[in-house]
PDB file of all heavy atoms in Angstrom:
ATOM      1  N   GLY A 838      88.059 138.574  81.167  1.00  0.00           N
ATOM      2  CA  GLY A 838      88.127 138.460  82.624  1.00  0.00           C
ATOM      3  C   GLY A 838      87.291 137.293  83.140  1.00  0.00           C
ATOM      4  O   GLY A 838      87.633 136.673  84.141  1.00  0.00           O
ATOM      5  N   TRP A 839      86.222 136.976  82.440  1.00  0.00           N
ATOM      6  CA  TRP A 839      85.326 135.884  82.842  1.00  0.00           C
ATOM      7  C   TRP A 839      86.075 134.545  82.905  1.00  0.00           C
ATOM      8  O   TRP A 839      85.848 133.735  83.794  1.00  0.00           O
ATOM      9  CB  TRP A 839      84.159 135.814  81.848  1.00  0.00           C
ATOM     10  CG  TRP A 839      83.152 134.760  82.162  1.00  0.00           C
ATOM     11  CD1 TRP A 839      82.895 133.637  81.442  1.00  0.00           C
ATOM     12  CD2 TRP A 839      82.264 134.715  83.293  1.00  0.00           C
ATOM     13  NE1 TRP A 839      81.916 132.900  82.037  1.00  0.00           N
ATOM     14  CE2 TRP A 839      81.505 133.542  83.176  1.00  0.00           C
ATOM     15  CE3 TRP A 839      82.052 135.557  84.379  1.00  0.00           C
ATOM     16  CZ2 TRP A 839      80.547 133.180  84.129  1.00  0.00           C
ATOM     17  CZ3 TRP A 839      81.089 135.201  85.321  1.00  0.00           C
ATOM     18  CH2 TRP A 839      80.353 134.037  85.188  1.00  0.00           C
ATOM     19  N   VAL A 840      87.003 134.354  81.952  1.00  0.00           N
ATOM     20  CA  VAL A 840      87.810 133.125  81.937  1.00  0.00           C
ATOM     21  C   VAL A 840      88.602 133.040  83.244  1.00  0.00           C
ATOM     22  O   VAL A 840      88.631 132.005  83.911  1.00  0.00           O
ATOM     23  CB  VAL A 840      88.798 133.139  80.733  1.00  0.00           C
ATOM     24  CG1 VAL A 840      89.714 131.935  80.772  1.00  0.00           C
ATOM     25  CG2 VAL A 840      88.038 133.209  79.416  1.00  0.00           C
ATOM     26  N   ARG A 841      89.209 134.162  83.641  1.00  0.00           N
ATOM     27  CA  ARG A 841      90.010 134.212  84.866  1.00  0.00           C
ATOM     28  C   ARG A 841      89.130 133.967  86.095  1.00  0.00           C
ATOM     29  O   ARG A 841      89.523 133.291  87.050  1.00  0.00           O
ATOM     30  CB  ARG A 841      90.684 135.579  84.954  1.00  0.00           C
ATOM     31  CG  ARG A 841      91.605 135.730  86.133  1.00  0.00           C
ATOM     32  CD  ARG A 841      92.794 134.811  86.002  1.00  0.00           C
ATOM     33  NE  ARG A 841      93.812 135.133  86.996  1.00  0.00           N
ATOM     34  CZ  ARG A 841      94.959 134.500  87.074  1.00  0.00           C
ATOM     35  NH1 ARG A 841      95.249 133.521  86.229  1.00  0.00           N
ATOM     36  NH2 ARG A 841      95.833 134.828  87.991  1.00  0.00           N
ATOM     37  N   PHE A 842      87.946 134.549  86.062  1.00  0.00           N
ATOM     38  CA  PHE A 842      86.999 134.405  87.172  1.00  0.00           C
ATOM     39  C   PHE A 842      86.694 132.919  87.425  1.00  0.00           C
ATOM     40  O   PHE A 842      86.707 132.449  88.554  1.00  0.00           O
ATOM     41  CB  PHE A 842      85.713 135.171  86.823  1.00  0.00           C
ATOM     42  CG  PHE A 842      84.638 135.096  87.871  1.00  0.00           C
ATOM     43  CD1 PHE A 842      84.707 135.897  89.004  1.00  0.00           C
ATOM     44  CD2 PHE A 842      83.557 134.237  87.722  1.00  0.00           C
ATOM     45  CE1 PHE A 842      83.722 135.837  89.981  1.00  0.00           C
ATOM     46  CE2 PHE A 842      82.570 134.166  88.691  1.00  0.00           C
ATOM     47  CZ  PHE A 842      82.643 134.969  89.828  1.00  0.00           C
ATOM     48  N   GLN A 843      86.472 132.195  86.337  1.00  0.00           N
ATOM     49  CA  GLN A 843      86.136 130.778  86.485  1.00  0.00           C
ATOM     50  C   GLN A 843      87.333 129.960  86.961  1.00  0.00           C
ATOM     51  O   GLN A 843      87.183 129.007  87.722  1.00  0.00           O
ATOM     52  CB  GLN A 843      85.607 130.233  85.169  1.00  0.00           C
ATOM     53  CG  GLN A 843      84.257 130.848  84.843  1.00  0.00           C
ATOM     54  CD  GLN A 843      83.521 130.075  83.788  1.00  0.00           C
ATOM     55  OE1 GLN A 843      84.084 129.768  82.742  1.00  0.00           O
ATOM     56  NE2 GLN A 843      82.287 129.753  84.034  1.00  0.00           N
ATOM     57  N   VAL A 844      88.527 130.352  86.515  1.00  0.00           N
ATOM     58  CA  VAL A 844      89.755 129.674  86.967  1.00  0.00           C
ATOM     59  C   VAL A 844      89.965 129.961  88.458  1.00  0.00           C
ATOM     60  O   VAL A 844      90.217 129.055  89.255  1.00  0.00           O
ATOM     61  CB  VAL A 844      90.985 130.156  86.150  1.00  0.00           C
ATOM     62  CG1 VAL A 844      92.275 129.651  86.764  1.00  0.00           C
ATOM     63  CG2 VAL A 844      90.873 129.723  84.698  1.00  0.00           C
ATOM     64  N   ASN A 845      89.848 131.243  88.848  1.00  0.00           N
ATOM     65  CA  ASN A 845      90.136 131.670  90.231  1.00  0.00           C
ATOM     66  C   ASN A 845      89.161 131.094  91.247  1.00  0.00           C
ATOM     67  O   ASN A 845      89.558 130.722  92.339  1.00  0.00           O
ATOM     68  CB  ASN A 845      90.078 133.202  90.336  1.00  0.00           C
ATOM     69  CG  ASN A 845      91.360 133.852  89.863  1.00  0.00           C
ATOM     70  OD1 ASN A 845      92.371 133.185  89.694  1.00  0.00           O
ATOM     71  ND2 ASN A 845      91.324 135.148  89.641  1.00  0.00           N
ATOM     72  N   HIS A 846      87.882 131.042  90.891  1.00  0.00           N
ATOM     73  CA  HIS A 846      86.881 130.733  91.919  1.00  0.00           C
ATOM     74  C   HIS A 846      86.171 129.395  91.734  1.00  0.00           C
ATOM     75  O   HIS A 846      85.534 128.908  92.651  1.00  0.00           O
ATOM     76  CB  HIS A 846      85.834 131.851  91.988  1.00  0.00           C
ATOM     77  CG  HIS A 846      86.458 133.207  92.112  1.00  0.00           C
ATOM     78  ND1 HIS A 846      87.090 133.625  93.255  1.00  0.00           N
ATOM     79  CD2 HIS A 846      86.591 134.218  91.224  1.00  0.00           C
ATOM     80  CE1 HIS A 846      87.565 134.849  93.066  1.00  0.00           C
ATOM     81  NE2 HIS A 846      87.277 135.226  91.843  1.00  0.00           N
ATOM     82  N   PHE A 847      86.255 128.824  90.532  1.00  0.00           N
ATOM     83  CA  PHE A 847      85.534 127.548  90.322  1.00  0.00           C
ATOM     84  C   PHE A 847      86.453 126.430  89.870  1.00  0.00           C
ATOM     85  O   PHE A 847      85.986 125.384  89.417  1.00  0.00           O
ATOM     86  CB  PHE A 847      84.377 127.750  89.334  1.00  0.00           C
ATOM     87  CG  PHE A 847      83.336 128.702  89.847  1.00  0.00           C
ATOM     88  CD1 PHE A 847      83.283 130.010  89.405  1.00  0.00           C
ATOM     89  CD2 PHE A 847      82.421 128.291  90.817  1.00  0.00           C
ATOM     90  CE1 PHE A 847      82.338 130.903  89.908  1.00  0.00           C
ATOM     91  CE2 PHE A 847      81.471 129.178  91.323  1.00  0.00           C
ATOM     92  CZ  PHE A 847      81.432 130.487  90.870  1.00  0.00           C
ATOM     93  N   GLY A 848      87.778 126.692  89.976  1.00  0.00           N
ATOM     94  CA  GLY A 848      88.767 125.644  89.667  1.00  0.00           C
ATOM     95  C   GLY A 848      88.707 125.134  88.231  1.00  0.00           C
ATOM     96  O   GLY A 848      89.190 124.037  87.956  1.00  0.00           O
ATOM     97  N   LYS A 849      88.148 125.944  87.327  1.00  0.00           N
ATOM     98  CA  LYS A 849      88.086 125.474  85.930  1.00  0.00           C
ATOM     99  C   LYS A 849      89.402 125.757  85.230  1.00  0.00           C
ATOM    100  O   LYS A 849      90.227 126.527  85.722  1.00  0.00           O
ATOM    101  CB  LYS A 849      86.947 126.186  85.206  1.00  0.00           C
ATOM    102  CG  LYS A 849      85.593 125.835  85.760  1.00  0.00           C
ATOM    103  CD  LYS A 849      84.542 125.878  84.678  1.00  0.00           C
ATOM    104  CE  LYS A 849      83.257 125.294  85.209  1.00  0.00           C
ATOM    105  NZ  LYS A 849      82.080 125.893  84.643  1.00  0.00           N
TER     106      LYS A 849
END
Side-chain angles (χ1 to χ4, degrees):
W839 181 247
V840 175
R841 183 66 169 182
F842 179 79
Q843 292 196 310
V844 170
N845 279 346
H846 309 289
F847 297 102
K849 295 211 170 148

